[in-house]
Amino acid sequence: MSKTTIVVGLDGSEAGARALDFAKRQAKVIGECSIAICYVIEWSPYSFQTKEENEQRHKRREEELALAHERVMDPAVSQAKEEGFDVVAIVRHGDAADILDSVAKKHDAAQIVVGRVGVRGLKERVFGGVTGRLAAAASVPVTIIP
Amino acid sequence: MAIGLPSLAHAQEAVSFDQRVNDIFAGSTGWFVNLIFMNLPGTNFPWIVLWLVVAASIFTIYFGFIQIKAFGHAISLVKGDYSDPEDAGEVSHFQALTTALSGTVGLGNIAGVAVAVGIGGPGATFWMIVAGLLGMASKFTECTLGVKYRNEYPDGTVSGGPMYYMTKGFKERSLPGGRVLAIIFAIFTIGGALGGGNMFQANQAHAQITQITGDFSGLITGVVFAVVVFAVIVGGIKSIASVTEKVVPFMGILYVLAALIILIVNADQIGWAFGQIFAGAFTGLGVAGGFVGALIQGFKRAAFSNEAGVGSAAIAHAAVKTKEPVTEGVVSLLEPFIDTVVICTMTALVITISGVLVMDPATGQFVLNEAGTAIKTVDGSSGVALTSAAFATGFSWFPYLLAIAVILFAFSTMISWSYYGLKAWTYLFGEGKTTELVFKLIFCFFIIVGAAAQLGAVIDFSDAMIFAMAVVNITALYFLMPIVKREMNSYFARLKSGEIIKHNH
């Protein structure tokens, strides 16, 4: 029997940490389970940029990836590994809801676990938050941790 | 009265300053302008226009009508259909295209079209569209090369453009003279940056502001613009630049929407306007220079507006992250289409329909002005003021919106060209804070010159420098086009065989 995978969305916040804790508890219950910890750097290919920003983009991207690993992913992953969990770390650029769903599809995940926080304000009212959009459109069950 | 006197004296002093600047400017640049726009012997057809048209036509045929063949694929690429999700987070095709467009969509689409239609009549629009469609092939060629031969530095930043493909491409083909061409190109780019990318913008922005506020010295507009541009390019206040670069695409959309509304309201006249465009294209009756005048104006303005063959866009497109240089060439061919075929045609249609060009009701022909150099307009305006007057027939408040659009367009074009100019400058004099500062200061000084000088001298000089860039760039493109063809054939073969796949479904 193949392993079950749980995808966890991490964003460096308290709620993200709670989501990871929940995923760990679930993984223990399931037994044969791996956790795909996913951090998404919000980025749109349709934003407008200056020439300098374009010129520097590759450099910035490397810096963003390094920071994400250093501040959020590496501590979470190494702690989970120490606790004996089977973990994969994924850092991507793009739209958080889309990326989490595509990672879940790729790993044939049983569920996505995310914390209940997001960008508040007009943007979220108009376009919906990450959790809202995931709940509405994800191809696997979504657990939202308060 | 006592209060009025000093300001009157000041105004006179300012006018004479403008005149002085203009005289010195025209006097010192006239020979260059004459050389670039010299007519072919026995005709009144400038050789440079033929140069651009022939090049664009050769590229069109050599690459098998790439502008038609790859148009659909260009849209797929911009949508991100072929972007590898693993590569996400880099500069997308959409970003490279909009960045390049924010440099080209600007006053050329507003003032340039008005100049073309004002002199060459609506028929100039037809030739502008033809030039735009042909120019797509030139842009494909230069942008493919721009990406292929860009420099990628150890810190991850990228730099590209004709200077790089001239040096590296010529070396690859074991051809001599690549470095010499690159140096000449860089010199003209600096001239183009100071001319079309700077003085023309400042000049037309001033014309638009005075249209709203009444006449005042161009010196004032120049100084204000120079201070703001100085703050961005020297002071490092990137936020201003990044806001403008983001606002400009929206202004472009707003401009097209306003034009569309005017056209919809006057829908019954669109057929007539197109009739004028087609009839004028081949007869040129009642316009300055007749048929050839319409053709020359159309081609000149199209080249000035979309910069195809000039080489500037290759600098902007070079930053895109793709494994396939051809993809960016394909995307870049949308640029002359959006800039010239869509936006310029909109402006030309609005000008034609609005009735700001004086027509003799008896003969149905346009009436020339007293000097016989252009079509007489209702209020005697030309350039951006003519476009403003044309749009004002639809919306009385439009000149205010246009003034804001023009200032933003002018500003963003100046920032873009300061970047192109700087790239050329550092190519010549090396990277370094001091050398960069020197160029930036010169650039800001020329803003003041541009705003203060009169339209004729500025337009001639800016045209000349930008066309001079095209002379060098196209020469290099001829030598390097087999490389582009090899890349193109390989790419489309792999696309057809399914080796290159769509990532988005």
Side-chain angles (χ1 to χ4, degrees):
Chain A
M1 199 184 128
S2 63
K3 259 187 172 182
T4 307
T5 302
I6 299 174
V7 173
V8 184
L10 219 59
D11 59 358
S13 71
E14 279 293 310
R18 286 198 296 275
L20 182 57
D21 285 342
F22 177 83
K24 285 175 184 170
R25 286 201 298 277
Q26 291 285 88
K28 269 185 195 163
V29 173
I30 296 167
E32 279 292 289
C33 183
S34 69
I35 303 172
I37 304 179
C38 192
Y39 181 92
V40 183
I41 302 164
E42 281 285 347
W43 180 83
S44 165
Y46 303 111
S47 61
F48 300 110
Q49 299 197 152
T50 65
K51 286 170 185 65
E52 281 88 353
E53 281 167 346
N54 282 352
E55 188 187 304
Q56 305 270 333
R57 181 61 206 148
H58 180 70
K59 190 179 166 188
R60 295 272 169 275
R61 183 191 184 227
E62 298 297 310
E63 287 168 2
E64 285 162 6
L65 287 173
L67 266 180
H69 273 289
E70 187 191 328
R71 293 201 183 156
V72 184
M73 288 303 269
D74 293 352
V77 169
S78 54
Q79 197 191 336
K81 278 187 176 165
E82 274 170 27
E83 291 167 21
F85 291 101
D86 178 13
V87 190
V88 275
I90 298 157
V91 179
R92 291 267 189 282
H93 279 87
D95 177 86
D98 287 349
I99 299 271
L100 285 172
D101 189 40
S102 69
V103 167
K105 273 190 206 154
K106 194 179 166 192
H107 287 79
D108 201 13
Q111 64 169 314
I112 301 171
V113 184
V114 284
R116 190 195 58 191
V117 279
V119 197
R120 295 272 171 229
L122 187 67
K123 192 182 160 198
E124 187 174 333
R125 280 172 210 278
V126 178
F127 299 107
V130 172
T131 47
R133 277 183 297 135
L134 255 184
S139 45
V140 297
V142 178
T143 306
I144 299 167
I145 307 302
Chain B
M1 190 66 191
I3 300 165
L5 275 174
S7 65
L8 186 67
H10 178 76
Q12 278 169 345
E13 198 178 291
V15 167
S16 70
F17 177 85
D18 281 12
Q19 196 54 51
R20 267 206 307 276
V21 170
N22 192 46
D23 289 345
I24 296 166
F25 192 73
S28 58
T29 60
W31 68 271
F32 181 74
V33 176
N34 291 338
L35 179 73
I36 292 292
F37 294 124
M38 203 162 57
N39 290 332
L40 291 167
T43 68
N44 58 350
F45 196 94
W47 68 275
I48 187 73
V49 175
L50 193 70
W51 172 258
L52 280 163
V53 178
V54 167
S57 308
I58 288 175
F59 297 140
T60 300
I61 295 162
Y62 186 73
F63 296 113
F65 290 86
I66 183 80
Q67 53 269 69
I68 300 165
K69 215 167 63 182
F71 194 84
H73 186 55
I75 293 167
S76 292
L77 284 166
V78 172
K79 273 165 60 197
D81 288 353
Y82 290 88
S83 301
D84 188 345
E86 300 296 317
D87 284 349
E90 300 287 2
V91 177
S92 67
H93 287 299
F94 175 87
Q95 284 165 335
L97 178 68
T98 50
T99 309
L101 269 174
S102 79
T104 63
V105 174
L107 285 169
N109 305 70
I110 303 173
V113 175
V115 171
V117 175
I119 300 173
T125 315
F126 178 85
W127 297 111
M128 212 152 58
I129 294 171
V130 171
L133 291 171
L134 290 173
M136 290 163 80
S138 304
K139 208 139 237 191
F140 165 77
T141 318
E142 62 192 6
C143 290
T144 302
L145 290 167
V147 175
K148 185 169 168 62
Y149 294 107
R150 64 186 167 193
N151 269 12
E152 291 181 39
Y153 299 107
D155 68 353
T157 58
V158 283
S159 242
M163 292 86 77
Y164 299 93
Y165 59 70
M166 283 165 188
T167 2
K168 292 191 200 173
F170 273 55
K171 212 173 181 179
E172 192 180 307
R173 294 209 65 201
S174 306
L175 294 165
R179 173 92 182 136
V180 177
L181 276 184
I183 290 171
I184 299 171
F185 179 82
I187 293 169
F188 288 145
T189 305
I190 292 165
L194 298 177
N198 180 339
M199 289 192 287
F200 177 74
Q201 309 298 323
N203 188 285
Q204 288 291 280
H206 175 68
Q208 181 59 23
I209 295 166
T210 51
Q211 182 87 348
I212 304 286
T213 60
D215 205 19
F216 65 95
S217 169
L219 196 61
I220 298 165
T221 309
V223 169
V224 172
F225 259 107
V227 167
V228 183
V229 173
F230 182 89
V232 175
I233 66 173
V234 183
I237 305 174
K238 296 290 174 211
S239 53
I240 302 177
S242 84
V243 167
T244 347
E245 300 263 354
K246 286 164 183 110
V247 168
V248 162
F250 292 110
M251 293 304 288
I253 293 165
L254 203 64
Y255 182 76
V256 170
L257 278 180
L260 271 178
I261 293 170
I262 293 179
L263 295 178
I264 291 166
V265 170
N266 297 291
D268 55 323
Q269 289 186 62
I270 293 178
W272 170 82
F274 271 114
Q276 286 293 317
I277 288 171
F278 282 107
F282 300 101
T283 59
L285 285 175
V287 302
F291 155 69
V292 179
L295 186 136
I296 293 172
Q297 283 305 320
F299 276 121
K300 267 174 78 173
R301 290 297 133 199
F304 188 47
S305 173
N306 66 39
E307 295 169 16
V310 167
S312 53
I315 303 176
H317 281 277
V320 73
K321 269 290 161 186
T322 172
K323 293 186 268 300
E324 303 286 349
V326 171
T327 57
E328 197 52 30
V330 167
V331 166
S332 72
L333 59 77
L334 291 176
E335 224 184 291
F337 184 82
I338 297 169
D339 181 281
T340 310
V341 180
V342 178
I343 303 184
C344 286
T345 306
M346 292 275 185
T347 307
L349 281 174
V350 171
I351 292 174
T352 308
I353 284 176
S354 66
V356 288
L357 301 173
V358 177
M359 197 178 238
D360 182 349
T363 61
Q365 287 191 10
F366 294 106
V367 178
L368 292 186
N369 63 11
E370 280 165 18
T373 51
I375 296 173
K376 198 173 168 187
T377 54
V378 173
D379 57 357
S381 59
S382 65
V384 73
L386 179 63
T387 310
S388 184
F391 274 82
T393 61
F395 306 107
S396 60
W397 45 264
F398 194 82
Y400 298 99
L401 181 76
L402 192 67
I404 298 166
V406 163
I407 292 163
L408 282 168
F409 281 151
F411 184 69
S412 107
T413 307
M414 279 181 201
I415 303 288
S416 287
W417 273 90
S418 80
Y419 180 79
Y420 300 147
L422 185 67
K423 286 280 145 189
W425 185 267
T426 54
Y427 181 82
L428 289 180
F429 302 109
E431 312 274 338
K433 288 229 174 326
T434 318
T435 48
E436 287 186 11
L437 184 68
V438 171
F439 174 76
K440 288 169 178 174
L441 288 173
I442 295 171
F443 191 85
C444 290
F445 170 73
F446 270 81
I447 296 173
I448 302 172
V449 177
Q454 282 178 6
L455 187 63
V458 177
I459 279 203
D460 288 349
F461 179 66
S462 47
D463 272 358
M465 277 318 233
I466 287 180
F467 281 96
M469 284 169 72
V471 173
V472 188
N473 185 46
I474 287 173
T475 305
L477 294 184
Y478 282 140
F479 286 107
L480 300 175
M481 63 187 198
I483 296 175
V484 179
K485 189 156 199 178
R486 200 180 59 209
E487 290 274 336
M488 181 187 83
N489 288 341
S490 152
Y491 176 78
F492 282 105
R494 282 178 290 133
L495 190 70
K496 205 175 171 187
S497 73
E499 196 184 324
I500 294 167
I501 49 152
K502 269 193 182 188
H503 289 280
N504 284 353
H505 299 287

